[in-house]
Amino acid sequence: MMHNEMSRRRLLGLGVGLGAAASLTLAGCGGGSASKSTATGNGGKEYTGPKVSLNLWNGFTGGDGDIFKKLVEQFNAEHQNIAIAVNTYRWDDYYSKLPGAVSSGSGPDIAVMHMDQLATFAARGVITELDDVAKALELSESDFAPTVWKGGLYNNKRYGIPLDMHPLGFYYNKAVMQKAGLDPNKPPTTRDEFTAALTELKKSGVQGFWISPFQFTGGMTFYSLLHQWGGTLFDAEVTKATFNSDPAVEACTWLVDLIKQGHSPSNVGQDGDYLALKSGKNAFNFNGIWQINDIAKDPSAQIGVAELPQIGSQKAAWANSHNFTIVKQRSADNNKISGAKVFINWLSEHSLDWAKGGQVPARKEVREGAEFKAIPNVATLAPELDYAAFPPAVPGLGEVVTTFYTSFNEAVLGKKSPKQALDDGAAKATKQLEDNRKKYGS
């Protein structure tokens, strides 16, 4: 049960070394040769040409994968002249496999991609521009959350059509709270309420909030709190790492101090924080929306879901987004491209069904509808979209964000003070950003 969830989640910060992997094989992937057929589509509104068969790659290996496949089956049934074949890989394998497949001419026609990967693959000429899709379908920022819509842009050109948003949420164990004398139906929403609850939990013998030193989920927790304190990972031009600013150091120190104060063990294993929540060993956990389907499997665990509490001076939550992209081919087939655009638009319009897999729809009209709001827990986290802290759109960002998470790991494990760990990490990350500008020519 946990294997699929954990594998699927490694998606989400997948930066880990992916920029480097992409740079090795994508140099020859740029624009294709002359097209093989005449375009018979109109930017995704409809397709009236001869039947086309399209390959689609994705990394939905969890419960969301079954929902995704059912949607594709429905699309195929409704479109006799378009046949979509789905190939599913683990996200880490997916991103490392895609560049070589495209270079050899065996890549997919459509690829699902995370927002923080779009710029890298666009810069290397792997995916094609989709401005015409947005124009033909009359899609604009007003149809989506501004941050999600802008995240599909690279160099002022659109490369991704957003499907969803997946943020970090606040999970709380009602039984553990009640045992400590806390109201199980009122999870803390502020720093004062949070620390007061931890004090009561400690009195009852519970270390209430386990701090994981790993990206999943301690690093993402720090990512969120850094922004809550008013900090940023990078400057506005993304040329310098700023995650060693005073607000960032304060946020990191606050988390490290929770360990020193006995509210968390000192060395939590990978996913130990979440497993402890489900088994009643702690009370609070910041984790991804992808865990909602997992907690639903065991109602007796009494796990509640809420927006992240506001620990800093403003609301903020780590988030990422799945986007649809169209992959460039050695020889462009405009009929296939037209069919791909019809599919992208269709699934975007059916994102209510996709939400049942544990995602917040990117489309505003779907997100604000009564049917979506009735989906347990998923709709609870939808308001976080207004203050989600998305990664910037720059090539090679993954390896730089990995440096950020490594710095946090060093601070949490006591290898360095929070300030020293973040100073050292920011210096390395700034050099990586400089190297990436040379590598990607931007």
Side-chain angles (χ1 to χ4, degrees), residues 211 222 225-226 229 243 246-258 407-412 416-419 421-422:
I211 310 299
F222 174 45
L225 295 187
L226 180 156
W229 252 269
F243 57 78
D246 288 344
V249 174
E250 289 177 15
C252 187
T253 300
W254 185 81
L255 287 168
V256 171
D257 283 349
L258 291 182
S407 301
F408 176 71
N409 178 280
E410 292 174 341
V412 170
K416 299 177 182 178
S417 69
K419 179 171 174 49
L422 298 181

Side-chain angles (χ1 to χ4, degrees), residues 23-80:
S23 68
L24 295 175
T25 54
L26 295 183
C29 291
S33 61
S35 60
K36 297 196 307 184
S37 55
T38 303
T40 53
N42 49 10
K45 283 187 175 181
E46 60 182 350
Y47 173 67
T48 58
K51 185 171 183 177
V52 290
S53 297
L54 307 175
N55 289 319
L56 185 155
W57 283 18
N58 72 94
F60 301 130
T61 58
D64 52 0
D66 293 334
I67 292 175
F68 186 76
K69 289 177 182 177
K70 289 178 180 177
L71 286 169
V72 172
E73 290 173 1
Q74 181 182 342
F75 173 85
N76 286 340
E78 295 178 8
H79 297 77
Q80 298 302 311

Side-chain angles (χ1 to χ4, degrees), residues 220-351:
M220 293 175 172
T221 297
F222 174 45
Y223 185 113
S224 301
L225 295 187
L226 180 156
H227 286 87
Q228 287 198 8
W229 252 269
T232 58
L233 266 65
F234 312 106
D235 62 5
E237 292 75 28
V238 199
T239 59
K240 178 182 178 181
T242 57
F243 57 78
N244 63 333
S245 63
D246 288 344
V249 174
E250 289 177 15
C252 187
T253 300
W254 185 81
L255 287 168
V256 171
D257 283 349
L258 291 182
I259 299 173
K260 295 178 179 179
Q261 294 162 6
H263 298 302
S264 168
S266 59
N267 190 355
V268 177
Q270 179 70 66
D271 302 310
D273 51 338
Y274 177 64
L275 296 174
L277 177 82
K278 295 208 300 178
S279 63
K281 294 180 180 178
N282 68 25
F284 305 137
N285 184 228
F286 288 15
N287 217 307
I289 193 172
W290 54 87
Q291 299 293 17
I292 285 177
N293 284 337
D294 184 59
I295 64 171
K297 297 174 183 176
D298 184 14
S300 65
Q302 299 184 57
I303 307 298
V305 182
E307 295 177 54
L308 294 189
Q310 184 180 324
I311 306 298
S313 59
Q314 61 189 29
K315 291 184 175 183
W318 174 95
N320 210 326
S321 168
H322 293 117
N323 278 248
F324 280 119
T325 68
I326 293 180
V327 179
K328 285 188 177 180
Q329 308 295 329
R330 286 181 170 180
S331 179
D333 184 329
N334 287 329
N335 283 323
K336 285 192 171 186
I337 293 172
S338 298
K341 291 174 181 178
V342 169
F343 171 77
I344 290 172
N345 178 55
W346 184 92
L347 194 48
S348 177
E349 291 179 336
H350 287 73
S351 56

Side-chain angles (χ1 to χ4, degrees), residues 115 145 147-148 162-168 289 317-322 354 358-363 367 378 381-390:
M115 181 190 292
T147 48
V148 173
L163 174 62
D164 61 40
M165 182 274 283
H166 37 265
L168 216 60
I289 193 172
W318 174 95
N320 210 326
S321 168
H322 293 117
W354 177 236
Q359 310 285 343
V360 177
R363 285 246 177 145
R367 196 171 61 252
V378 176
L381 298 184
E384 291 188 332
L385 190 55
D386 293 333
Y387 52 81
F390 288 99

